[in-house]
């Protein structure tokens, strides 16, 4: 390996790639692997599809938000974060996009605020996204970052505002109802317990709960 290539030609496959490139990729006849396997939908994907169907059937709209946020948003909402475990962006474009989120709550609240600013207060939304936390040092084989898939959402106003018989305004039990349907469909309702959300400072002390599995 030439001295000026020692940093990017380090493995057997790197050498194979170099030979292929010099010989010409177009001269190599394409072949299928000896053992072919039919594509399968993973268990995780099946569960996500089921969750999506449950919320859509109940009148919720799926949203997709950015995984990037910054300290100004967290300070505005009043939610802290673990600085030493934050996945920071090396060259952020703005103060609002300096790290990967550790919680889905800021992303949801931003969507609610944007809709409220536009006069849209009938809002039933949800998102299945990811959070990112550094758990260990990174190396060539692992990033050291743990990703958690999170279900988050918000309910505001009347979803049936266009119907002549309007339903009552949503409350704590409106949200609890859809969550109970979700647990029942996933067949884990018998393992669920609701406990006071005493450790979450930004939630209302009398209108909130933590879900214990």
């Amino acid at each position: 390996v030439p001295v000026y290539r020692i940093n990017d030609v380090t493995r057997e496959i790197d050498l194979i790639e170099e030979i292929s490139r010099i010989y010409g990729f177009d001269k190599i006849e394409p072949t299928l692997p000896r053992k072919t396997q039919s594509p399968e939908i993973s268990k995780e994907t099946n569960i996500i599809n089921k969750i999506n169907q449950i919320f859509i059937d109940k009148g919720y709209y799926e949203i997709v938000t950015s995984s990037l946020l910054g300290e100004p948003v967290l300070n505005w909402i009043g939610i802290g974060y673990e600085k030493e475990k934050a996945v920071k962006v090396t060259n952020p474009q703005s103060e609002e996009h300096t790290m990967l989120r550790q919680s889905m709550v800021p992303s949801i609240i931003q969507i609610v605020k944007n809709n409220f600013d536009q006069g849209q207060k009938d809002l039933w939304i949800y998102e299945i996204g990811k959070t990112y936390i550094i758990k260990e040092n990174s190396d060539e084989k692992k990033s050291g970052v743990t990703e958690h898939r999170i279900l988050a959402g918000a309910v505001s106003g009347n979803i049936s505002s266009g119907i002549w018989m309007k339903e009552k305004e949503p409350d704590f039990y409106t949200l609890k109802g859809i969550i109970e349907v979700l647990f029942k469909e996933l067949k884990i309702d018998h393992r669920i317990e609701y406990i006071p959300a005493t450790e979450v400072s930004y939630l209302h002390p009398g209108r909130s709960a933590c879900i214990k599995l």
Side-chain angles (χ1 to χ4, degrees):
V1 178
V3 176
Y4 57 88
R5 295 295 304 278
I6 59 175
N7 291 326
D8 60 316
V9 181
T10 59
R11 303 167 300 168
E12 179 184 3
I13 188 63
D14 296 331
L15 193 58
I16 293 171
E17 186 181 61
E18 288 297 301
I19 295 172
S20 302
R21 180 179 64 81
I22 295 170
Y23 176 68
F25 289 115
D26 57 317
K27 297 178 183 178
I28 301 174
E29 186 178 348
T31 58
L32 289 173
R34 293 181 181 179
K35 293 182 179 180
T36 58
Q37 183 178 0
S38 300
E40 297 179 359
I41 299 177
S42 67
K43 185 176 181 181
E44 181 182 24
T45 301
N46 277 324
I47 292 175
I48 291 173
N49 290 341
K50 181 180 288 187
I51 294 172
N52 279 322
Q53 196 59 53
I54 291 170
F55 275 84
I56 291 172
D57 288 346
K58 294 295 181 180
Y60 287 74
Y61 288 90
E62 182 183 13
I63 62 172
V64 179
T65 59
S66 172
S67 296
L68 292 171
L69 49 75
E71 285 194 32
V73 174
L74 296 173
N75 294 334
W76 167 65
I77 298 173
I79 297 179
Y81 74 101
E82 299 180 77
K83 291 185 179 181
E84 66 281 0
K85 295 183 179 181
V87 183
K88 297 292 185 68
V89 177
T90 303
N91 297 306
Q93 298 298 314
S94 67
E95 292 184 356
E96 284 75 26
H97 303 88
T98 59
M99 70 185 89
L100 291 175
R101 61 191 175 195
Q102 296 180 354
S103 168
M104 292 283 293
V105 174
S107 302
I108 298 296
I109 291 181
Q110 282 185 292
I111 296 296
V112 173
K113 179 186 182 300
N114 291 340
N115 277 270
F116 272 41
D117 289 345
Q118 300 298 321
Q120 174 55 272
K121 297 187 177 182
D122 295 329
L123 202 64
W124 289 40
I125 57 175
Y126 80 97
E127 179 178 11
I128 301 173
K130 284 187 175 182
T131 58
Y132 307 83
I133 297 177
I134 295 177
K135 287 293 185 180
E136 56 186 343
N137 294 329
S138 61
D139 55 31
E140 292 181 357
K141 295 183 178 180
K142 58 182 184 296
S143 66
V145 177
T146 299
E147 301 180 12
H148 294 288
R149 195 176 294 279
I150 304 292
L151 168 64
V155 179
S156 171
N158 183 10
I159 194 65
S160 303
S161 58
I163 303 176
W164 66 274
M165 184 180 291
K166 292 186 178 181
E167 297 180 359
K168 63 179 182 179
E169 290 291 308
D171 56 17
F172 174 88
Y173 296 100
T174 305
L175 190 57
K176 186 170 181 284
I178 181 65
I179 294 298
E180 288 180 339
V181 169
L182 174 64
F183 292 151
K184 186 175 181 180
E185 288 292 327
L186 297 179
K187 296 180 173 59
I188 58 172
D189 50 315
H190 61 288
R191 300 167 55 196
I192 296 298
E193 180 185 356
Y194 297 93
I195 59 177
T198 55
E199 298 181 359
V200 188
S201 60
Y202 55 84
L203 294 181
H204 190 288
R207 299 178 184 175
S208 58
C210 280
I211 300 167
K212 183 179 179 181
L213 176 64

